Amino acid sequence: KAGVTQTPRYLIKTRGQQVTLSCSPISGHRSVSWYQQTPGQGLQFLFEYFSETQRNKGNFPGRFSGRQFSNSRSEMNVSTLELGDSALYLCASSLDPVAPQHFGDGTRLSIL
Amino acid sequence: GQQVMQIPQYQHVQEGEDFTTYCNSSTTLSNIQWYKQRPGGHPVFLIQLVKSGEVKKQKRLTFQFGEAKKNSSLHITATQTTDVGTYFCADKYGNKLVFGAGTILRVKS
């Protein structure tokens, strides 16, 4: 069974730009969650999608948004990038949002 | 909101020594999950505990859920260099998982 696939693996952007990250979940998993990981803050929950609906949202500004498609693939968008957005963005899929999470390798985003 | 606190933040042990990380909460924990993240890798699910007083073992790893469901622990017997990484606990809060900040384990050979 293929794991969770995130693309791209690495991204370098400048302040003010926007970025879209992609996540393909494990086949059969309808719940996709996104996390931001930084050295000082650990794993911070961004949002969770289930059957194309955002069901949970963390404490992040509106610049962070996402969506899920009918095939369960999910995208995350960050607009007006700031230096503090530099982080590893992890996507996880599961059968439901509180079931064991299967993480992708992440996208490492660097803002210059 | 719910907070899950992990201690210690960091531990450096000699290979062969034991290691324990604790996950605590001021409120009752629901379902504790433990994850391991190797350096440069992503978190990998290890185990889930749901019952008060539950103890589960995976080779040298022993996971416990406190009787009052206010804490959980992960104990590694005779650490090896392959045990290095960050160990996270996570608890269900409403319809989402809340992760602890993690314990970084370094093993000196």
Side-chain angles (χ1 to χ4, degrees):
Chain A
K1 200 183 216 183
V4 177
T5 304
Q6 288 189 249
T7 57
R9 288 295 309 279
Y10 303 92
L11 261 181
I12 299 175
K13 293 284 187 179
T14 56
R15 280 183 298 173
Q17 287 187 308
Q18 75 164 19
V19 68
T20 299
L21 312 182
S22 180
C23 172
S24 293
I26 289 173
S27 177
H29 286 186
R30 292 160 63 190
S31 173
V32 174
S33 298
W34 288 88
Y35 297 87
Q36 181 194 65
Q37 186 173 35
T38 56
Q41 298 296 318
L43 277 165
Q44 299 294 313
F45 174 77
L46 281 154
F47 27 66
E48 183 258 342
Y49 287 86
F50 187 90
S51 292
E52 302 179 66
T53 300
Q54 185 185 91
R55 297 197 301 183
N56 293 289
K57 193 176 190 307
N59 296 324
F60 279 81
R63 301 185 295 109
F64 291 81
S65 63
R67 58 178 176 168
Q68 187 180 33
F69 302 93
S70 58
N71 61 358
S72 293
R73 189 177 72 85
S74 178
E75 287 183 346
M76 190 190 98
N77 186 75
V78 189
S79 62
T80 320
L81 288 165
E82 301 176 0
L83 290 177
D85 296 333
S86 293
L88 178 67
Y89 290 88
L90 290 161
C91 164
S93 77
S94 58
L95 293 172
D96 66 64
V98 293
Q101 305 280 295
H102 298 263
F103 285 85
D105 288 332
T107 294
R108 186 162 297 281
L109 176 62
S110 299
I111 311 302
L112 305 179
Chain B
Q2 188 209 41
Q3 278 193 313
V4 176
M5 292 153 286
Q6 273 189 264
I7 54 171
Q9 186 179 358
Y10 179 85
Q11 188 147 14
H12 195 167
V13 301
Q14 188 72 37
E15 189 174 19
E17 290 182 339
D18 292 356
F19 159 78
T20 304
T21 174
Y22 299 91
C23 185
N24 301 315
S25 175
S26 56
T27 58
T28 301
L29 297 165
S30 179
N31 297 343
I32 281 288
Q33 296 176 11
W34 285 94
Y35 293 79
K36 176 185 177 182
Q37 184 175 22
R38 294 180 186 272
H42 58 267
V44 174
F45 171 74
L46 294 175
I47 209 154
Q48 178 169 273
L49 305 171
V50 299
K51 297 178 187 174
S52 165
E54 191 170 14
V55 178
K56 288 187 177 180
K57 292 193 175 185
Q58 286 181 353
K59 296 182 181 177
R60 295 178 294 104
L61 276 61
T62 302
F63 304 83
Q64 289 191 304
F65 205 175
E67 291 288 346
K69 299 186 83 172
K70 290 285 185 74
N71 54 69
S72 179
S73 65
L74 158 59
H75 178 84
I76 302 178
T77 304
T79 54
Q80 299 175 358
T81 54
T82 53
D83 295 325
V84 299
T86 304
Y87 292 85
F88 294 96
C89 65
D91 189 41
K92 174 185 160 185
Y93 180 63
N95 266 328
K96 63 183 181 185
L97 282 178
V98 174
F99 281 81
T103 295
I104 299 171
L105 171 65
R106 292 290 177 256
V107 180
K108 189 165 50 175
S109 60

